[in-house]
Amino acid sequence: MDAPDVLDLWDLRVRHQPDAPALVTPDRVLTHRSVDRLTDAWAASLAGRGAGPGRLVGLAFADPGRTVLGMLAALKAGAGFTVLDDRLPAAARDSLVRRTEAAVWLGDGAHAPAAAYVPDGAAGGLADDGRAGGTAAGEGAGAADAGGHPVRPPARAAGHDVAYVLFTSGSTGHPKGTLIERDSLRRFAAAVAERLELAAGDRWLQVASLGFDVLIEEVFPALVAGAAVVCRADTRALDAEELHTTMARTGTTVVELSTQYWLEYARWLDARGLTTPPGLRLVVVGGERMDPRPYREWQARQPARLAHVYGLTECTVSSTFYTGLLPADAAEVPLGTPLRDVEISVRRDGRPVPRGESGEIHIGGPLLARGFLDDDAATARRFVPDPLSAVPGARVYTTGDLGRIDADGNLVFLGRLDDQVKIRGHRLEPARVERALCEDPSVEQAVVFPDPATGTVLWAFTVPADPERAPLPGEAVRLTAAERDALVAPLEEQLPDWAVPRVLYRVSVLPKNPHGKIDKRRLSDWATATVTNAATATGTGTAATGTGAGYTVPGTPGPGGEPLSTVLGLFREVLGAPELGPDDDFFEHGGQSLLAMRLLARLREFLPSAAGLRASALLRCPTPRLLAGALATAGPREAGPRQAGPQEAGLPR
């Protein structure tokens, strides 16, 4: 008898609850029956164009809802899928399209390959009974049942066939395509649904970036549990207020946020004295190390529970969950215990260490990826034979993460064994960015790491090739906007926005610590001294990091320079840049989406005219003077978005 497939779990839900919601979009609510019939039609169209077992279907839609439908349709055609992130630079997108060699592409976004098409029914052509309004481009219509509904293609994929390929950052200069098989996807979806106690009444809000593996966790556990996936109208990130109102309006019960995104939401709730929407029962948080203090504060004030999650793309998204109440004396928020079908061990020199001792985290079991797409060498390095397993041919994934198992059996994260970092939930090998910077002939050396204060933006310190341009020893000179733009422009063509440094300094040497490693703390101190000296020289001082009271720029809107003084002060506060001037660009001084969320929230607190302020106004008016002018005249609702630039990318998951 064949092993069950992820589609078997879906079919079970369709039979048992055909009229229950399965997909909620801003325009309509689709039942399980409607989604099933629509994706059957899509699958027939895909099969008619060559999709099948062992092949990939590429998805490049402009909205998440159709992406979810495309994922399910690809699996029904027997194929796997890959999702093209619309925020990637064009060169990176083109590279991924070539590497995946998809049999067919679905999509309608500006980022979609030229050959992509949209099946009938995708743009809203559903009849009342959920039947697709025709066949895709007249091809691959397939058979219909007695009621005229399309019949799913007969092709049956095996458990070892590909379910999806998603890409992660690598140190070689090319993202690594991780290949997950159908049996792993089935086991993962069922295990997460079980651990989080998902049920038919749940609604999981989809907020992750498309192309990020958290998308898999937002969709398939909900679908196999009979819950509904709630989708936004587009891939634009929600700020804290929009997230809150969207969850309340849609009846969201479960949401997953990156650590930094969750911290921004928690800060927003606290500032307004609010609690989570009444329907929200669970917030899954992960991607970076969690500080126990905000975790405890949330548990004391918010009705929605927390689940701390840990996992890697190579091991089918998530491997462990912590869902308990954090003890008062806990120094770390545990990563929790493994899902069913996941094997966690902590080893040193290939041998398990006693409970409580530290070592490298190893992950085994049937949720491991097959490996990396067309990269046997990298696969062999990270997916190694497991000599400790009694299962023939068993493998284990060496994570590079340092951890321990505590007295309660929970995995605890202790750091990295190598230089890999997490930036806004994404794994990054800094060497990849450092090499790209050094390709510029003016740069001799470079080091890249997340800013120490928030960990949400990359800093870069460069040593000039020309000694005449080097500052004095112990100094860090911040690059001007023109210098920064010239240096990062090539990076923006090949890297996602979150991997591009936004704050760059020039130093005479990269200092070393006693262990011979680059001393990043000393570099941070040099940068802090530079900011402090600049603030002192301009007379702004550290007091300018408040609301800006007392700072007046002649000729600006309103008496006494208001609201420019307030806007400028809040720019300085959020960016941690007391030297910032009224004409300095938010994004050129380290601003990115998470900090933009914080700035918008703070502006709404101090200025009534900012009540309806959205990110589009900040994109069009990125300096304090421009934004203050917009607030003082037309107001934020009339400030339309400027042409999308690279700073719009890298939105939180």
Side-chain angles (χ1 to χ4, degrees):
M1 182 177 179
D2 292 338
D5 185 74
V6 65
L7 292 179
D8 294 327
L9 303 181
W10 162 257
D11 290 340
L12 183 65
R13 292 301 174 182
V14 174
R15 289 196 299 271
H16 287 175
Q17 51 185 78
D19 298 318
L23 184 64
V24 179
T25 73
D27 300 322
R28 62 174 61 84
V29 176
L30 298 180
T31 65
H32 281 71
R33 179 190 289 115
S34 297
V35 169
D36 194 52
R37 290 175 175 174
L38 179 58
T39 52
D40 277 353
W42 286 27
S45 173
L46 291 171
R49 293 177 177 234
R55 301 300 304 277
L56 288 176
V57 171
L59 302 174
F61 285 111
D63 70 272
R66 283 186 283 185
T67 301
V68 173
L69 294 172
M71 293 158 65
L72 189 55
L75 293 173
K76 286 186 172 186
F81 60 83
T82 189
V83 183
L84 191 61
D85 194 333
D86 62 350
R87 304 165 314 158
L88 288 175
R93 293 199 305 266
D94 292 343
S95 174
L96 297 191
V97 170
R98 289 192 302 270
R99 292 174 60 191
T100 55
E101 298 180 335
V104 58
W105 279 89
L106 297 181
D108 62 348
H111 63 299
Y117 78 102
V118 179
D120 282 356
L126 281 178
D128 291 339
D129 62 355
R131 184 170 54 195
T135 61
E139 296 185 36
D145 62 17
H149 305 300
V151 175
R152 187 182 308 174
R156 169 89 180 186
H160 59 75
D161 282 323
V162 58
Y164 65 85
V165 172
L166 292 179
F167 288 83
T168 63
S169 173
S171 59
T172 61
H174 294 284
K176 295 179 291 187
T178 303
L179 195 156
I180 301 296
E181 297 179 349
R182 295 176 77 103
D183 186 60
S184 298
L185 176 59
R186 173 188 64 84
R187 292 172 182 268
F188 166 76
V192 173
E194 174 185 78
R195 176 64 64 90
L196 300 183
E197 300 177 336
L198 298 180
D202 277 314
R203 292 188 171 198
W204 193 316
L205 179 63
Q206 193 284 309
V207 296
S209 305
L210 303 185
F212 192 19
D213 68 344
V214 174
L215 172 69
I216 304 299
E217 188 157 85
E218 295 172 319
V219 172
F220 287 98
L223 293 183
V224 304
V229 180
V230 180
C231 289
R232 302 159 290 156
D234 51 41
T235 60
R236 181 181 61 88
L238 304 172
D239 65 31
E241 182 177 341
E242 292 170 321
L243 173 68
H244 186 76
T245 57
T246 297
M247 291 191 297
R249 175 176 51 81
T250 60
T252 292
T253 63
V254 182
V255 68
E256 183 163 357
L257 307 174
S258 70
T259 304
Q260 293 297 330
Y261 193 5
W262 170 75
L263 287 170
E264 291 299 327
Y265 180 48
R267 184 181 290 110
W268 182 87
L269 288 172
D270 289 346
R272 284 152 185 77
L274 297 175
T275 60
T276 51
L280 187 68
R281 68 174 183 85
L282 183 67
V283 180
V284 183
V285 182
E288 299 169 60
R289 178 191 169 274
M290 172 70 72
D291 182 12
R293 180 187 54 78
Y295 202 89
R296 289 194 189 94
E297 291 174 351
W298 176 283
Q299 290 183 145
R301 291 199 286 257
Q302 299 300 335
R305 294 188 300 114
L306 289 175
H308 194 211
V309 62
Y310 166 76
L312 303 167
T313 305
E314 295 87 346
C315 305
T316 313
V317 192
S318 295
S319 298
T320 67
F321 283 81
Y322 178 74
T323 56
L325 291 175
L326 189 65
D329 60 349
E332 294 286 341
V333 180
L335 302 176
T337 55
L339 293 173
R340 173 164 49 90
D341 290 327
V342 173
E343 300 167 4
I344 297 289
S345 60
V346 176
R347 308 183 188 186
R348 190 184 307 129
D349 298 326
R351 297 178 179 275
V353 300
R355 180 170 290 193
E357 293 191 14
S358 64
E360 183 178 8
I361 300 172
H362 289 60
I363 302 178
L367 266 62
L368 292 191
R370 181 190 299 174
F372 299 118
L373 184 67
D374 298 328
D375 196 338
D376 293 340
T379 298
R381 284 195 303 271
R382 302 306 297 269
F383 297 87
V384 300
D386 187 2
L388 304 180
S389 176
V391 179
R395 301 175 304 153
V396 66
Y397 184 76
T398 56
T399 66
D401 289 333
L402 186 67
R404 62 179 175 85
I405 305 293
D406 68 15
D408 296 320
N410 289 303
L411 182 65
V412 178
F413 178 75
L414 300 176
R416 286 289 301 174
L417 294 172
D418 54 23
D419 291 329
Q420 191 180 86
V421 299
K422 278 286 188 77
I423 184 77
R424 280 140 64 188
H426 301 270
R427 283 184 293 154
L428 176 70
E429 299 283 358
R432 179 184 177 194
V433 184
E434 292 161 0
R435 279 197 298 271
L437 286 170
C438 290
E439 289 178 3
D440 189 297
S442 68
V443 176
E444 179 69 23
Q445 293 177 283
V447 65
V448 172
F449 55 90
D451 73 283
T454 70
T456 63
V457 65
L458 286 177
W459 283 6
F461 291 81
T462 62
V463 176
D466 181 0
E468 295 295 324
R469 300 186 66 236
L472 294 174
E475 290 186 355
V477 175
R478 187 158 177 169
L479 271 61
T480 65
E483 291 173 325
R484 184 196 67 85
D485 289 347
L487 198 54
V488 304
L491 278 66
E492 291 174 335
E493 295 177 359
Q494 56 182 301
L495 299 174
D497 179 79
W498 50 264
V500 177
R502 294 301 173 193
V503 178
L504 291 89
Y505 291 92
R506 186 164 50 244
V507 294
S508 61
V509 65
L510 298 179
K512 301 292 180 65
N513 62 25
H515 303 289
K517 301 279 190 179
I518 293 175
D519 194 334
K520 297 172 184 175
R521 177 172 296 182
R522 198 188 307 179
L523 287 171
S524 299
D525 290 343
W526 292 356
T528 301
T530 296
V531 171
T532 302
N533 293 338
T536 301
T538 58
T540 57
T542 56
T545 61
T547 63
Y551 186 93
T552 301
V553 179
T556 56
E562 290 286 341
L564 179 57
S565 62
T566 301
V567 175
L568 177 61
L570 292 175
F571 267 64
R572 290 170 171 172
E573 173 193 310
V574 169
L575 293 173
E579 81 286 4
L580 196 79
D583 296 308
D584 287 331
D585 190 294
F586 176 81
F587 300 102
E588 292 178 355
H589 284 75
Q592 35 73 21
S593 57
L594 286 168
L595 292 180
M597 283 186 187
R598 189 178 304 174
L599 176 61
L600 295 178
R602 295 289 283 153
L603 286 165
R604 292 177 193 136
E605 289 180 36
F606 284 90
L607 298 172
S609 59
L613 192 66
R614 290 295 179 262
S616 58
L618 185 58
L619 291 168
R620 181 182 178 183
C621 306
T623 71
R625 192 190 303 277
L626 288 175
L627 189 58
L631 290 171
T633 55
R637 286 186 177 87
E638 299 180 27
R642 68 178 178 183
Q643 179 65 34
Q647 63 268 28
E648 288 190 70
L651 299 173
R653 78 182 197 186

